[in-house]
């Protein structure tokens, strides 16, 4: 009973901490983290709070005031006045919502909201005057930030004075627990005058009908542009479940130029326009949505409910301030014949893997990671394991230090390597292993390196490595003895364009070939180089005293490319967090940080489909966070699972790499070991008949002992016991076969006899000879799904309801959205030193 009460108190404390976390708009602006739901009516407090950043910038948190929708397809609106009278500019949007509860959000700007209530049903409208769309979100889309010098103009004499947030709650069953929702968006505003004004151009179909069972249906939109030049920088697509691909183009003199093309079933973010596109007077803007009616038994029309469809192509643009127009729409097809010449790519659906859809919805089919305990890689004789990667054939590549060790004598106070007299490592430092049996396939890297650190492999199979002693980055061909490219000056630390200071990792964009280097232990920056090694740009700065801000680093230690979202994520080691940035600009997009990380996060790896893997560092004295591996949903940042090894223990896990089949490898710089882990799904058992007995084997013939740790690690004792049980089981396998067979034959007979005796006794003592127990009828009730009530209210004024030629039967409402140093063995201090932090927070330069 006491244990139950203790657990209940712990849950209450966690509940309170979560709610308190919602109270600080500063925390949500400075630390982006999607949450699956708001847990309390206290998640906002009583007033909307404005947080000032310096003299000119401030944040405004716009959230639903702890609402619980009563029926599906509910549209709720709320308004927030601009907290200043003079002109301001919105330069950043950070959403706070999950598609598990919220179908979509729209943010409008206007001067007179439709209601003065705390919140209201959007059937009453959004604004009484003209409204402009400033932002749109759906399907767990990440944050959106505008280019430098560009902002949405608000306030002043002519611009919008109110923000109106519209939230569409699709399926009300998400609220069966009656929880309160505080979804919304945080705006970053500035008083600094922006030379370029942002606007939104919305292309949408209003009269498309999708016949049931029809395999392909096109919805085309086209308008002539009749205004001052505008420059496009981002796009977003939106349909409901039947949409396969949406494409947008500029047509000039018969030439089609792609603006953007994306699957509407992927996160509906604003994606950057890949190549600059400008729109001039009399150009044509054209868009096509491709639908499929397969699986439907009735016609599907354009509308605002989950069972309707939509065809929307949003364009974010900027114009010179003197000509700026904040919002434009196109809802017609001015030239149907021109679509005969649309590029063929617009007709090709973009396939989305089912696991991607599940990750987007936050659904995970009992996914967890366990050690492959029979993998022989633990028996390899390695030096300090500093880097791991997978080559194009999915073989494991290991970068280790041979007989060299990074310790307290390795560098002087100016980061100059002090052990050059040892010469370079005489062993092959790069080894390639079969991922199934750890068989050596290839090795290289002899007499080249002093202190290896980071490793990656590009799409052509070239090895990219960093050496913290040489302060250099190398590109090596798999079969080449000499480097193909060297960046940095040997043994010379520095912080200019031509020098590094203990660079930690390198990543190569598979699409552009751009090179990204994390630099490093004594610099706090990410540097981008062209494919041939020319300096392009850099970003990052040293962490401020007291707190770490976005874009600041305290040892950027590991890199992970997110190609499908054009992002680069960085393990910001001593700040214990992951930071992600846009590849093209280096702009901060999000932070992932959990208490379970502790103070250090060493490495991060991304798997296409939305999974993020990471490993942390050993806890500081007196701290409880365990050293472990993490599996996260990249879209939400949620921790799905944690894991630790059963054989040996993590001591300083230094790098992690994962494959698309969810096989994970972790290299430890102190244990000098590489562990293999796999998902329980991958290790799905297959039945093999041997001598009439069903024996379970894994697909890779590797017995798996689960080490599932959800949020709370198992105790050391329990893990030791599991390990011992596994060893005893191995030792007794051959001697147990006879006993096993005999037991399997006898047990069914005993069980059958027991069942017969029990049935006879039960009949005579409880029911009598004819007794029958019938279930209560209430246990067989079926809950119907509720549809939203019909209404003539529409969410963008009455424009669409009065649109010429529009005759949608049963149309409820029309929104523009829809449903959907290694530890020293003598003294226990850190000395990889990776120059790892001491128990007290170290100065940045000494870490």
């Amino acid at each position: 009973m006491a244990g139950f009460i203790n657990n209940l108190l712990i849950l209450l404390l966690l509940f309170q901490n979560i709610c308190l976390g919602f109270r600080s708009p500063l925390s949500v602006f400075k630390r982006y983290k999607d949450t699956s739901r708001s847990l309390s009516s206290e998640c906002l407090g009583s007033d909307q709070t404005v947080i000032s950043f310096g003299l000119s910038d401030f944040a405004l948190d716009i959230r639903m005031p702890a609402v619980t929708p009563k029926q599906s397809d509910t549209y709720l609106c709320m308004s927030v006045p601009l907290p200043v009278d003079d002109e301001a500019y919105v330069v950043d949007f950070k959403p706070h919502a999950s598609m598990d509860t919220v179908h979509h959000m729209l943010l409008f700007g206007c001067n007179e909201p439709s209601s003065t209530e705390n919140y209201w049903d959007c059937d009453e409208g959004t604004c009484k005057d003209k409204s402009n769309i400033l932002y749109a979100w759906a399907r767990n889309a990440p944050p959106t930030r505008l280019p430098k010098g560009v902002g949405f103009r608000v306030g002043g004499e002519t611009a919008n004075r109110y923000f109106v947030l519209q939230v569409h709650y699709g399926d009300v069953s998400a609220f069966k627990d009656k929880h309160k929702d505080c979804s919304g968006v945080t705006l970053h505003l500035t008083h600094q005058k922006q030379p370029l004004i942002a606007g939104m151009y919305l292309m949408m179909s209003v009269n498309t009908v999708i016949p049931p069972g029809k395999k392909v249906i096109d919805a085309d939109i086209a308008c002539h542009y009749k205004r001052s030049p505008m420059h496009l920088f981002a796009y977003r697509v939106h349909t409901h479940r039947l949409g396969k691909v949406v494409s947008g183009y500029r047509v000039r003199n018969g030439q089609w130029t792609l603006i953007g093309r994306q699957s509407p079933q992927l996160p509906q973010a604003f994606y950057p326009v890949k190549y600059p596109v400008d729109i001039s007077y009399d150009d044509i803007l054209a868009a096509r949505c491709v639908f499929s009616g397969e699986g439907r038994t009735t016609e599907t029309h354009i509308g605002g409910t989950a069972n309707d469809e939509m065809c929307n192509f949003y364009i974010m643009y900027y114009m010179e301030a003197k000509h700026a127009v904040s919002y434009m729409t196109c809802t017609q097809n001015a030239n149907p014949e021109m679509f005969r010449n649309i590029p063929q790519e617009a007709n090709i659906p973009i396939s989305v893997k089912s696991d991607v859809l599940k990750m987007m919805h936050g659904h995970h089919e009992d996914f967890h990671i366990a050690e492959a305990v029979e993998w022989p890689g633990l028996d390899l004789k390695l030096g300090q394991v500093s880097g791991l990667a997978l080559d194009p054939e999915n073989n494991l590549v290991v970068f280790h230090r041979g007989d060299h060790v990074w310790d307290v004598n390795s560098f002087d106070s100016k980061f100059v390597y002090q052990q050059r007299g040892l010469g370079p490592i005489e062993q092959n430092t790069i080894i390639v292993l079969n991922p199934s049996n750890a068989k050596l396939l290839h090795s290289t890297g002899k007499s080249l390196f002093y202190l290896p650190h980071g490793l990656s492999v590009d799409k052509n199979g070239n090895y990219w490595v960093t050496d913290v002693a040489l302060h250099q980055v190398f590109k090596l061909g798999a079969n080449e003895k000499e480097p193909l490219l060297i960046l940095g000056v040997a043994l010379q630390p520095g912080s200019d364009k031509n020098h590094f200071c203990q660079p930690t990792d390198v990543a190569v964009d598979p699409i552009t070939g751009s090179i990204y280097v994390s630099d490093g232990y004594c610099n706090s920056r990410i540097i981008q180089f062209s494919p041939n090694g020319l300096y392009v740009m850099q970003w990052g700065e040293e962490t401020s005293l007291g707190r770490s801000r976005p874009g600041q680093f305290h040892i950027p230690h590991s890199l992970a490319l997110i190609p499908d979202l054009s992002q680069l994520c960085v393990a910001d080691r001593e700040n214990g967090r992951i930071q992600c940035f846009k590849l093209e600009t280096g702009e901060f997009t999000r932070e992932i940080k959990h208490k379970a990380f502790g103070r250090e996060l060493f490495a991060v790896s991304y798997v296409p489909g939305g999974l993020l893997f990471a490993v942390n560092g050993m806890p500081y004295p007196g701290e409880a966070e365990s050293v472990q591996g993490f599996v996260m949903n990249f879209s939400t940042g949620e921790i799905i699972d944690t894991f630790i090894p059963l054989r040996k223990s993590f001591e300083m896990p230094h790098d992690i790499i994962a494959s698309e089949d969810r096989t994970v490898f972790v290299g430890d710089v102190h244990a000098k070991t590489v562990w293999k882990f796999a998902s329980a799904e991958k290790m799905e058992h297959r039945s093999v008949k041997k001598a009439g007995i069903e024996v379970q084997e894994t697909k890779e013939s590797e017995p798996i002992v689960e080490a599932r740790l959800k949020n709370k690690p198992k105790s050391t004792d329990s893990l030791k016991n599991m390990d011992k049980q596994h060893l005893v089981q191995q030792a007794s396998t051959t001697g147990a076969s006879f006993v096993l067979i005999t037991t399997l034959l006898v047990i069914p007979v005993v069980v059958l006899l027991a069942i017969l005796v029990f049935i006879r006794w039960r009949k005579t003592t409880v029911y009598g000879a004819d007794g029958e127990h019938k279930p209560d009828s209430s246990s067989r009730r079926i809950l119907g799904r509720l549809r939203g009530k019909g209404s003539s209210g529409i969410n963008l004024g009455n424009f669409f309801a009065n649109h010429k030629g529009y005759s949608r039967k049963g149309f409820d409402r029309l929104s523009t959205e829809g449903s959907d140093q290694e530890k020293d063995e003598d003294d226990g201090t850190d000395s990889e030193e990776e120059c790892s932090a001491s128990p007290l927070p170290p100065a940045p330069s000494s870490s």
Side-chain angles (χ1 to χ4, degrees):
M1 184 66 184
F4 173 78
I5 293 174
N6 286 337
N7 289 335
L8 185 61
L9 288 173
I10 291 171
L11 287 172
L12 288 171
L13 286 172
L14 288 172
F15 181 88
Q16 182 183 19
N17 286 337
I18 291 171
C19 294
L20 286 173
F22 278 112
R23 286 177 177 156
S24 171
L26 178 60
S27 68
V28 297
F29 179 75
K30 284 298 186 181
R31 182 170 298 160
Y32 167 68
K33 177 182 179 294
D34 275 323
T35 54
S36 59
R37 60 181 52 176
S38 302
L39 298 178
S40 170
S41 61
E42 297 179 356
C43 55
L44 284 179
S46 58
D47 298 309
Q48 299 293 341
T49 306
V50 179
I51 299 297
S52 177
F53 301 116
L55 297 176
S56 61
D57 290 18
F58 60 98
L60 179 62
D61 205 37
I62 304 174
R63 303 283 195 109
M64 276 293 160
V67 301
T68 302
K70 300 298 190 297
Q71 61 183 26
S72 295
D73 288 317
T74 294
Y75 287 74
L76 296 181
C77 291
M78 58 88 65
S79 66
V80 176
L82 184 67
V84 294
D85 293 329
D86 51 342
E87 194 171 81
Y89 301 85
V90 180
V91 296
D92 195 6
F93 303 89
K94 295 190 185 299
H96 308 287
S98 167
M99 67 182 294
D100 285 344
T101 51
V102 173
H103 174 265
H104 80 263
M105 298 188 300
L106 290 176
L107 185 68
F108 298 86
C110 64
N111 285 316
E112 188 177 3
S114 292
S115 174
T116 58
E117 298 294 326
N118 199 22
Y119 69 94
W120 66 91
D121 191 316
C122 298
D123 283 348
E124 301 174 25
T126 53
C127 298
K128 293 181 179 179
D129 60 330
K130 180 181 177 181
S131 61
N132 303 323
I133 295 179
L134 301 177
Y135 179 70
W137 174 96
R139 289 189 174 274
N140 289 344
T144 297
R145 189 167 188 174
L146 308 185
K148 188 174 182 180
V150 176
F152 282 94
R153 183 165 51 196
V154 294
E157 295 182 0
T158 58
N160 303 314
R161 296 178 179 274
Y162 279 86
F163 298 105
V164 177
L165 176 68
Q166 177 201 99
V167 179
H168 176 193
Y169 298 98
D171 186 355
V172 77
S173 66
F175 290 88
K176 58 187 177 183
D177 60 354
K178 307 298 182 183
H179 75 273
K180 305 293 186 180
D181 183 70
C182 297
S183 298
V185 60
T186 300
L187 308 184
H188 180 182
L189 297 99
T190 181
H191 290 293
Q192 293 182 354
K193 198 172 187 66
Q194 303 296 295
L196 302 169
I197 303 303
M200 188 82 71
Y201 193 108
L202 171 60
M203 306 183 71
M204 64 181 297
S205 172
V206 296
N207 53 15
T208 297
V209 178
I210 304 169
K214 187 76 171 179
K215 189 173 183 179
V216 178
I217 288 293
D218 298 331
D220 296 334
I221 315 155
C223 287
H224 282 87
Y225 184 70
K226 299 292 185 180
R227 293 184 178 271
S228 298
M230 65 176 178
H231 306 270
L232 316 185
F233 65 87
Y235 72 96
R236 175 180 177 270
V237 305
H238 179 76
T239 72
H240 297 180
R241 297 184 183 276
L242 302 186
K244 302 301 181 182
V245 62
V246 182
S247 308
Y249 295 88
R250 179 198 68 189
V251 185
R252 178 183 292 171
N253 300 323
Q255 297 296 313
W256 294 68
T257 300
L258 180 67
I259 298 169
R261 172 178 175 267
Q262 189 56 275
S263 167
Q265 305 308 321
L266 289 171
Q268 293 184 0
F270 277 95
Y271 293 90
V273 174
K274 191 170 183 180
Y275 302 104
V277 177
D278 64 278
I279 306 298
S280 300
Y281 187 88
D282 217 28
D283 284 343
I284 298 176
L285 287 164
R288 167 170 285 182
C289 301
V290 177
F291 296 98
S292 173
E294 292 179 310
R296 292 288 174 96
T297 57
T298 58
E299 287 185 344
T300 304
H301 297 260
I302 297 296
T305 74
N307 294 320
D308 294 318
E309 263 303 336
M310 286 194 165
C311 170
N312 294 358
F313 188 77
Y314 294 86
I315 304 171
M316 271 193 184
Y317 61 86
Y318 62 81
M319 307 173 73
E320 292 184 10
K322 61 182 178 181
H323 301 302
V325 179
S326 60
Y327 181 58
M328 293 178 274
T329 61
C330 172
T331 60
Q332 59 180 317
N333 186 355
N335 189 353
E337 293 299 317
M338 65 180 283
F339 283 91
R340 294 180 178 180
N341 299 317
I342 192 171
Q344 185 60 27
E345 63 185 0
N347 302 313
I348 302 174
I350 297 176
S351 60
V352 181
K353 295 180 180 179
S354 60
D355 60 334
V356 177
L357 292 173
K358 289 174 182 176
M359 293 301 295
M360 286 163 44
H361 285 270
H363 300 316
H364 311 286
E365 50 292 322
D366 199 23
F367 173 75
H368 61 281
I369 289 292
E371 183 188 352
V373 295
E374 291 302 311
W375 191 67
L378 264 66
D379 300 325
L380 294 170
K381 302 301 181 183
L382 301 170
Q384 293 183 331
V385 178
S386 63
L388 300 176
L390 295 171
D391 68 12
E393 285 74 44
N394 240 26
N395 295 315
L396 176 64
V397 187
V398 181
F399 197 29
H400 72 111
R401 295 174 183 160
D403 57 2
H404 283 205
V405 175
W406 186 347
D407 58 26
V408 294
N409 300 311
S410 298
F411 294 90
D412 65 11
S413 61
K414 296 182 179 179
F415 309 105
V416 176
Y417 186 57
Q418 298 297 295
Q419 297 172 331
R420 284 173 285 180
L422 298 175
I425 300 168
E426 291 302 321
Q427 297 88 30
N428 282 318
T429 54
I430 300 174
I431 61 173
V432 183
L433 305 174
N434 183 307
S436 296
N437 56 28
K439 180 181 179 181
L440 180 64
L441 303 177
H442 177 66
S443 61
T444 188
K446 179 180 179 180
S447 302
L448 285 176
F449 307 112
Y450 286 80
L451 279 181
H453 200 277
L455 165 71
S456 67
V457 181
D458 66 23
K459 65 179 182 181
N460 298 317
N462 298 306
Y463 308 134
W464 293 80
V465 300
T466 71
D467 188 309
V468 291
L470 290 169
H471 305 287
Q472 288 180 302
V473 177
F474 299 83
K475 175 185 178 182
L476 300 169
N479 299 307
E480 302 289 337
K481 292 185 177 181
E482 297 297 325
L484 302 176
L485 178 68
I486 302 176
L487 302 175
V489 181
L491 299 168
Q492 293 185 14
S495 56
D496 57 23
K497 298 178 182 180
N498 300 314
H499 290 79
F500 302 109
C501 192
Q502 296 177 342
T504 54
D505 203 6
V506 56
V508 180
D509 189 329
I511 300 173
T512 66
S514 295
I515 307 160
Y516 298 87
V517 178
S518 50
D519 180 39
Y521 283 92
C522 32
N523 288 326
S524 299
R525 60 181 180 172
I526 307 298
I527 313 177
Q528 180 187 351
F529 298 89
S530 69
N532 58 358
L534 297 178
Y535 175 90
V536 176
M537 68 172 181
Q538 69 180 50
W539 70 87
E541 60 183 26
E542 190 175 339
T543 297
S544 305
L545 293 176
R547 65 180 177 184
S548 51
R549 300 177 182 272
Q552 295 183 336
F553 300 110
H554 195 169
I555 306 182
H557 196 258
S558 170
L559 300 177
L561 276 166
I562 321 294
D564 40 348
L565 293 176
S566 296
Q567 293 188 37
L568 180 73
C569 291
V570 184
D572 186 6
R573 200 183 91 172
E574 299 298 306
N575 284 324
R577 62 179 179 175
I578 299 167
Q579 294 193 77
C580 299
F581 304 87
K582 292 182 181 179
L583 284 174
E584 298 86 353
T585 62
E587 292 180 50
F588 174 83
T589 61
R590 67 182 303 193
E591 175 191 86
I592 301 174
K593 186 179 178 72
H594 295 280
K595 186 177 186 297
F597 288 172
R599 296 199 195 184
E600 297 178 337
L601 192 79
F602 270 71
V604 62
S605 177
Y606 174 79
V607 171
L611 285 176
L612 202 62
F613 297 81
V615 286
N616 65 349
M618 291 292 288
Y620 283 66
E623 295 183 346
E625 289 76 18
S626 299
V627 57
Q628 56 192 323
F630 300 89
V631 187
M632 289 165 281
N633 180 332
F634 177 75
S635 178
T636 66
E638 167 199 8
I639 295 178
I640 303 167
D641 191 28
T642 60
F643 58 94
I644 61 173
L646 298 176
R647 299 175 298 162
K648 297 187 178 182
S649 298
F650 283 155
E651 298 179 36
M652 185 179 280
H654 194 264
D655 202 7
I656 186 169
I657 189 69
S659 62
E660 287 195 46
D661 66 355
R662 300 176 180 179
T663 299
V664 183
F665 296 93
V666 176
D668 194 301
V669 77
H670 183 202
K672 301 179 180 179
T673 296
V674 179
W675 284 274
K676 178 180 178 178
F677 301 85
S679 70
E681 274 188 331
K682 178 179 180 296
M683 300 309 233
E684 173 189 338
H685 291 78
R686 65 185 179 204
S687 297
V688 178
K689 300 287 185 178
K690 292 184 179 179
I693 300 172
E694 193 173 86
V695 180
Q696 297 294 325
E697 292 183 350
T698 65
K699 287 184 178 179
E700 295 185 0
S701 299
E702 296 171 5
I704 296 300
V705 179
E706 290 186 10
R708 186 179 183 188
L709 296 174
K710 280 255 187 174
N711 300 326
K712 180 180 178 182
K714 296 180 185 293
S715 69
T716 304
D717 290 338
S718 64
L719 290 168
K720 288 180 178 178
N721 289 335
M722 291 175 67
D723 202 14
K724 287 178 181 178
Q725 290 169 8
H726 172 71
L727 293 175
V728 170
Q729 183 182 7
Q730 282 186 311
S732 61
T733 298
T734 56
S737 298
F738 177 76
V739 176
L740 176 62
I741 294 170
T742 303
T743 302
L744 289 174
L745 291 173
V746 171
I747 286 175
V749 176
V750 175
V751 171
L752 180 60
L753 289 172
I755 291 172
L756 289 172
V757 171
F758 175 78
I759 291 173
R760 185 174 182 84
W761 171 81
R762 185 69 172 172
K763 282 184 176 181
T764 58
T765 60
V766 180
Y767 298 107
D770 300 313
E772 180 182 2
H773 178 70
K774 296 181 180 180
D776 187 273
S777 61
S778 64
S779 65
R780 295 173 295 186
R781 289 180 302 175
I782 298 174
L783 297 178
R785 294 183 62 183
L786 299 175
R787 281 181 59 89
K789 67 178 185 291
S791 171
S792 61
I794 51 181
N795 304 107
L796 293 177
N798 294 319
F799 175 80
F800 298 107
N802 298 323
H803 188 271
K804 183 179 180 181
Y806 186 78
S807 59
R808 154 87 159 95
K809 291 185 178 181
F811 176 67
D812 298 322
R813 60 171 70 85
L814 183 60
S815 161
T816 58
E817 293 291 347
S819 300
D820 331 321
Q821 169 200 72
E822 151 180 349
K823 287 192 173 180
D824 194 317
E825 295 181 3
D826 295 328
D827 62 10
T829 59
D830 288 345
S831 66
E832 190 224 334
E833 202 172 23
E834 282 285 333
C835 278
S836 179
S838 58
L840 292 176
S845 60
S846 64
S847 60

